[in-house]
Amino acid sequence: MSDAFSTLVLNVASGSGETVVDLTRACEAFLRDRAGGRDGLLNVFVPHATAGVAVIETGAGSDDDLLAVLHTLLPADDRWQHRHGSPGHGRDHVLPALVPPHATLPVIGGRLELGTWQSVCLVDTNRDNPQRQVRLSFLG
């Protein structure tokens, strides 16, 4: 593989509850190691049917607000056709339609080009899967 493209799989412990996991530092570390000061694109991809990637402010309550909105839009009850796993698990399979399993972000001079309050986050409402993988890919 050429040095124009580089990839890394992160193993993320998302736990047994609904969560937003900030991946920004891991993305920045990956780019320091692999981007070599170049411009390009960072793709963040979650290869799971029940998780997504969001660019959102964290630490000021927005991450909790996101989970509250998702819980309102996608309640963990028995309305879902998809019925294996814990009660309401079918809603977890709808999540990626609202919070997609990927994000592509600009990299300028080897650094992630985010706004002041933006963070790259894994969004996971699936209590049945406490371990996730996130693939980071740099194209420069």
Side-chain angles (χ1 to χ4, degrees):
M1 193 174 301
S2 78
D3 64 348
F5 180 81
S6 185
T7 191
L8 172 74
V9 175
L10 302 174
N11 291 304
V12 179
S14 59
S16 58
E18 299 177 3
T19 191
V20 175
V21 179
D22 192 338
L23 303 172
T24 309
R25 286 189 180 148
C27 292
E28 291 168 341
F30 169 72
L31 290 171
R32 274 192 305 276
D33 186 49
R34 308 285 178 94
R38 294 173 291 158
D39 294 350
L41 296 171
L42 174 68
N43 182 263
V44 182
F45 176 70
V46 181
H48 299 282
T50 58
V53 176
V55 177
I56 188 172
E57 178 181 6
T58 58
S62 297
D63 37 353
D64 291 331
D65 290 341
L66 173 60
L67 292 174
V69 166
L70 291 172
H71 194 70
T72 299
L73 292 173
L74 305 171
D77 58 22
D78 64 354
R79 74 182 68 199
W80 307 100
Q81 306 255 340
H82 189 105
R83 293 186 183 264
H84 73 84
S86 58
H89 174 65
R91 67 141 185 172
D92 299 325
H93 288 273
V94 177
L95 173 76
L98 301 176
V99 181
H102 59 86
T104 300
L105 305 163
V107 176
I108 307 297
R111 297 185 54 153
L112 195 54
E113 189 72 11
L114 292 173
T116 301
W117 304 112
Q118 291 180 316
S119 297
V120 182
C121 298
L122 167 69
V123 180
D124 189 357
T125 59
N126 182 356
R127 296 181 301 247
D128 295 338
N129 191 351
Q131 296 293 323
R132 297 299 187 157
Q133 290 187 331
V134 178
R135 178 175 294 279
L136 305 179
S137 299
F138 174 71
L139 178 62

